[in-house]
Amino acid sequence: MAGSRTPIQKIRRLLRVVEYLQSGQGYNARELSEVCGVTRRQMFRDLKSLQDSGIPINYDAAKQAYWLPQATYLPPTELTLTETLSLLLLCTNLGDAEHGIPTLQPARDAAVKLMSNLPAHLRTHVGELSEMIEIWADPGHELDESQGIMQVLHESLRKRLKVRISYDSIFDGEVISTLVSPYRVLFAKRAWYVIGRSSLHRAVRMFHVGRILGIETTGDRFQIPPRFSLSSHFGNAWRFIRERGCRQKVVVRFHPLVARNVADVVWHKTQKLHWNDDGTVDLKVTVDGIHEISWWILSYGNQAEVLSPEPLRELIATQARSMWEKYRPQEPESPTSKGIRDQNAPPPSRSRGRSKRPESNSTKGAQ
């Protein structure tokens, strides 16, 4: 970060901060420091420098975020070749009907418009590159019939209006009706979700958009709690299922066959890795609940071993025994056991050797 202290680097950094703050979204010091590659302490100094120069940077104490009231300090920036290519790749691939994200098909139309406005020499160059680079999202939930629901949710978020939904709830085991104050719309794990306060549950809940059977906007307004965020809502859940009061430190050992694949991914924000001399790797995380992470561990079969905590080891063992009961082969019958069964069998009926009389049609009808 030594370069950040040179005058030219500081000017570029300050311009970038202003560009972010006038985007219409608030950013805290940590986010800005990560964007600019400096420490939080340095970012606080940069923000003070901008304020001292007369730029009216506002601070929202509730959201703990900085922002500019209007974009009047920097003119629209011309996109570089790399920036243009990045936008086109995202719009084209994530808007793809087969491999993209459901409901983002309009992004593909935006990519076509952006491409048509490029200079001829850039259009050819970017077009060739974009054809050779593809992004495939994981298979997702079909939302062809939910486009209208997504539009209502977007409008509800914009106007801060509650919605009444009819929802096919797996948790409740029936179709429920509840009034929802939508705080966030989230795409994760192959599907769209809406997170907000449910009047029926009297708590913030997560609803799968694909299981919303009906939706209507009400005239009731709502406010998003100032300090609400998805990060605070999910806490230390492995993914989405937060078991409050059940925080556990988990250690899982992965065998060499999968160790590198596991280590290449940041699976959880608390993740720490420890490599062992035998080529295994220990993954250590702190999670709110053991059930959700157990499903992930089981996906690695015999290549993963839970070292702690003991309740998670017992849960995995129970699941493994259940799987064994389903998949274990049927033991062939030995001649000895067959002979014992024959000896205990009742004597044959005297009529078995006789030929059967044909059944009459009236007898068949009675059956």
Side-chain angles (χ1 to χ4, degrees):
M1 297 183 183
S4 65
R5 290 190 289 269
T6 63
I8 188 65
Q9 288 292 331
K10 182 175 181 179
I11 292 173
R12 289 175 178 172
R13 189 173 68 251
L14 293 177
L15 289 174
R16 193 170 193 188
V17 171
V18 172
E19 188 176 39
Y20 268 77
L21 294 183
Q22 71 175 8
S23 66
Q25 179 178 344
Y27 294 88
N28 59 37
R30 178 185 58 79
E31 292 168 332
L32 291 172
S33 64
E34 290 176 354
V35 166
C36 297
V38 295
T39 64
R40 289 182 62 191
R41 179 177 295 181
Q42 179 60 53
M43 182 49 59
F44 283 125
R45 286 196 288 260
D46 288 348
L47 291 168
K48 189 175 186 307
S49 296
L50 290 171
Q51 290 172 326
D52 291 344
S53 65
I55 296 179
I57 297 177
N58 294 337
Y59 178 70
D60 189 325
K63 296 181 178 180
Q64 297 183 329
Y66 297 90
W67 57 284
L68 279 171
Q70 54 185 349
T72 57
Y73 293 95
L74 291 178
T77 305
E78 292 187 5
L79 298 177
T80 65
L81 176 60
T82 303
E83 292 167 343
T84 303
L85 178 61
S86 298
L87 282 175
L88 286 172
L89 286 174
L90 286 173
C91 292
T92 302
N93 287 279
L94 297 185
D96 182 75
E98 182 179 359
H99 300 295
I101 295 178
T103 75
L104 288 189
Q105 284 80 2
R108 201 173 183 88
D109 299 332
V112 173
K113 293 178 182 178
L114 179 59
M115 180 73 81
S116 64
N117 285 291
L118 290 176
H121 66 286
L122 281 182
R123 191 183 312 137
T124 302
H125 185 55
V126 171
E128 291 176 351
L129 283 176
S130 62
E131 289 179 0
M132 293 183 286
I133 303 174
E134 295 189 23
I135 303 172
W136 284 12
D138 291 333
H141 190 280
E142 292 289 343
L143 286 179
D144 292 340
E145 299 179 359
S146 302
Q147 295 282 354
I149 292 174
M150 288 294 290
Q151 291 177 4
V152 173
L153 286 173
H154 291 165
E155 188 72 5
S156 169
L157 283 167
R158 186 176 68 84
K159 294 182 178 179
R160 298 289 195 272
L161 293 176
K162 297 179 182 180
V163 292
R164 170 72 63 179
I165 67 171
S166 175
Y167 186 71
D168 185 5
S169 173
I170 294 178
F171 179 81
D172 296 288
E174 60 181 353
V175 175
I176 63 173
S177 176
T178 183
L179 196 64
V180 177
S181 302
Y183 295 165
R184 298 287 190 276
V185 172
L186 169 70
F187 182 83
K189 303 296 287 183
R190 307 181 180 91
W192 282 103
Y193 298 90
V194 56
I195 297 95
R197 182 169 181 80
S198 165
S199 63
L200 178 65
H201 304 96
R202 296 184 179 181
V204 176
R205 288 297 184 93
M206 185 173 183
F207 299 94
H208 190 302
V209 172
R211 292 200 289 271
I212 296 179
L213 305 179
I215 186 171
E216 60 179 351
T217 306
T218 71
D220 298 333
R221 301 186 66 84
F222 70 90
Q223 289 186 345
I224 301 175
R227 292 186 178 275
F228 177 83
S229 69
L230 291 180
S231 178
S232 62
H233 173 65
F234 292 125
N236 271 20
W238 175 247
R239 287 293 179 266
F240 300 141
I241 303 176
R242 182 182 185 182
E243 301 174 50
R244 294 182 182 274
C246 299
R247 181 160 293 188
Q248 296 277 3
K249 293 183 178 180
V250 174
V251 182
V252 185
R253 177 163 295 171
F254 292 91
H255 291 205
L257 181 64
V258 298
R260 284 295 300 274
N261 289 336
V262 172
D264 285 344
V265 179
V266 179
W267 300 97
H268 196 260
K269 61 184 180 181
T270 66
Q271 173 176 319
K272 294 181 180 179
L273 298 173
H274 174 74
W275 285 94
N276 302 306
D277 294 338
D278 59 358
T280 61
V281 65
D282 294 345
L283 179 138
K284 303 177 182 180
V285 292
T286 301
V287 293
D288 289 337
I290 60 176
H291 290 85
E292 194 174 21
I293 193 175
S294 72
W295 307 330
W296 176 72
I297 295 170
L298 285 166
S299 69
Y300 283 93
N302 65 351
Q303 297 299 306
E305 177 189 0
V306 176
L307 302 184
S308 65
E310 190 61 29
L312 181 55
R313 282 183 63 89
E314 294 174 0
L315 179 61
I316 296 292
T318 300
Q319 295 288 350
R321 284 192 292 268
S322 176
M323 292 176 65
W324 167 246
E325 290 296 326
K326 286 184 174 67
Y327 289 103
R328 70 174 179 175
Q330 296 294 325
E331 295 182 1
E333 190 175 34
S334 66
T336 304
S337 62
K338 185 176 186 300
I340 295 174
R341 190 193 66 179
D342 291 343
Q343 291 176 10
N344 295 329
S349 172
R350 295 178 63 185
S351 63
R352 287 186 178 179
R354 301 174 185 175
S355 60
K356 283 189 174 182
R357 297 176 59 187
E359 295 178 324
S360 67
N361 289 334
S362 60
T363 305
K364 286 183 180 178
Q367 290 177 343

